[in-house]
């Protein structure tokens, strides 16, 4: 068993939140090591929409320029998010994998480290991993997502709720020639989000761009609707490993509405094309750790950010941006040298987390209550 006693700050999770806090701490001269259970390179490459705040040091410190990571295409130039707003230059579409690669620059990220447990020691915390390694830390930052191992150990009472919706994501690469004829005309005015949506009753169909390459375009196709009684498409208790188990009822449902889907939606949600794509059953999870519990754990120098503290649904939310902001603001509190920085961080952020949590279920429901509109 190897033991490393180097860095004073340990970050669990090398996703966007963990990378943001790691990068912000690095630029303030605070060393940290990030541990992630994934294999190196096995990261999500979905597209996501972000806001850039070049005049706000809290965010500009880690976000690269739009030109480096925005989805590049000849469809449109990403437009300003709001004229006259001095704090916001633009929103832009980024490929998550490339964004994470940018944010990893200069950081010490150690892959294939699945957390086993954390114990108090005479000098701080001892962090143990299932591969036999352990690390001494003066502080532990939990940024390990909705399935947070840190939260499961220290706040097991914080329930993870699954919203009653059937949600399926399929991904495929559309050849450029096919993109130009079937998709491009409909996306011309959709910058900077590069997303199309239509509804049939309360079923929502979304096409989102993940990446552009010379030869093809990587797209995500999200199918979602409220669950119905005994619903083959909604399995809230499924194990994580069963996300790839796709019931035939999904393709039957797509076939039933195929004559009502128009334009790119008819192409993207064609049952046979969907069957041949990479399809995942997504569960829309939410959670919010109680403030008193967070402050209790802060006395042990354990702090939570992002989905580890306040998860929101994958679809239709700003979870990635919130996690990054959490990390950057936390780094500010840690670097300022004032007393009780973790409690002060929670006082700054928790009201916003609670507001987002209160709106999460209603907001997701509203996504499915738009009038029927076919592109």
């Amino acid at each position: 068993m190897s033991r490393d006693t180097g860095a004073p700050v340990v970050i669990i999770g090398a996703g966007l939140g963990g990378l943001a806090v790691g990068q912000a701490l690095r630029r303030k001269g605070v060393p940290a090591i990030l541990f992630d259970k994934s294999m190196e390179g096995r990261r999500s490459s979905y597209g996501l929409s972000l806001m850039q705040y070049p005049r706000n040091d809290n965010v500009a410190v880690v976000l690269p320029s739009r030109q480096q990571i925005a989805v590049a295409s000849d469809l449109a130039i990403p437009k300003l998010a709001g004229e006259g707003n001095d704090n916001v230059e633009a929103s832009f579409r980024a490929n998550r994998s490339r964004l994470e690669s940018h944010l990893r620059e200069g950081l010490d990220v150690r892959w294939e480290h699945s957390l086993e447990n954390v114990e108090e020691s005479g000098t701080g915390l001892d962090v143990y991993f299932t591969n036999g390694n352990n690390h001494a830390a003066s502080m532990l930052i939990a940024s390990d997502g909705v399935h947070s191992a840190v939260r499961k150990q220290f706040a097991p009472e914080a329930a993870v709720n699954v919203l009653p919706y059937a949600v399926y994501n399929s991904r495929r690469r559309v050849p450029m020639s096919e993109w130009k004829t079937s998709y491009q005309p409909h996306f011309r005015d959709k910058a900077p989000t590069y997303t199309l949506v239509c509804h049939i009753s309360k079923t929502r169909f979304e096409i989102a761009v993940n990446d552009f390459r010379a030869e093809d375009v990587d797209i995500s196709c999200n199918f979602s609707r409220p669950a119905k009684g005994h619903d083959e498409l909604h399995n809230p208790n499924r194990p994580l490993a069963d996300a790839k188990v796709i019931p035939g009822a999904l393709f039957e449902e797509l076939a039933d509405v195929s004559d009502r889907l128009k334009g790119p939606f008819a192409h993207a949600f064609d049952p046979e094309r969907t069957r041949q794509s990479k399809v995942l059953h997504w569960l829309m999870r939410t959670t919010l750790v109680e403030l008193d519990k967070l402050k209790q754990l802060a006395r042990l120098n354990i702090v939570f950010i992002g989905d580890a503290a306040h998860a929101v649904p994958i679809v239709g939310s700003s979870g990635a941006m919130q996690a990054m902001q959490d990390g950057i603001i936390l780094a500010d509190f840690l670097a300022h040298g004032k007393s009780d920085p973790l409690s002060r961080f929670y006082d700054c952020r928790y009201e916003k987390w609670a507001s987002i949590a209160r709106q999460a279920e209603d907001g997701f429901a509203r996504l499915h209550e738009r009038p029927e509109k076919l592109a």
Side-chain angles (χ1 to χ4, degrees), residues 150-268:
V150 183
R151 189 184 65 239
K152 288 176 182 177
Q153 178 181 347
F154 289 98
E157 71 282 358
V160 175
N161 306 305
V162 178
L163 302 186
Y165 289 83
V167 184
Y168 288 81
N169 166 270
S170 65
R171 286 188 62 183
R172 71 175 68 95
R173 293 191 179 277
V174 178
M176 187 57 69
S177 59
E178 200 171 272
W179 167 266
K180 289 182 176 180
T181 57
S182 299
Y183 293 85
Q184 180 169 308
H186 303 270
F187 274 86
R188 286 193 181 279
D189 62 348
K190 298 302 178 182
T193 63
Y194 296 104
T195 301
L196 292 176
V197 175
C198 82
H199 296 77
I200 294 178
S201 185
K202 289 192 175 183
T203 301
R204 183 176 187 269
F205 301 86
E206 177 187 79
I207 306 170
V209 174
N210 298 317
D211 203 4
F212 286 89
R213 303 194 307 178
E215 65 275 17
D216 57 31
V217 179
D218 184 335
I219 64 170
S220 284
C221 306
N222 296 323
F223 165 99
S224 60
R225 61 158 175 76
K228 310 172 182 176
H230 178 68
D231 195 334
E232 288 185 65
L233 298 189
H234 181 57
N235 182 6
N237 299 314
R238 67 157 176 77
L240 286 175
D242 284 357
K244 296 180 181 179
V245 177
I246 309 302
L250 173 65
F251 308 108
E252 294 172 8
E253 214 164 297
L254 291 177
D256 288 344
V257 297
S258 60
D259 60 337
R260 299 177 65 188
L261 292 171
K262 309 299 180 185
F265 296 98
H267 191 277

Side-chain angles (χ1 to χ4, degrees), residues 11 16-26 141 305 324 327-328 330-331:
I11 302 168
L16 289 173
L19 293 170
V21 68
Q23 196 65 250
L25 287 173
R26 182 183 74 86
I141 301 174
I305 64 173
M324 294 177 71
I328 298 158
L330 173 61

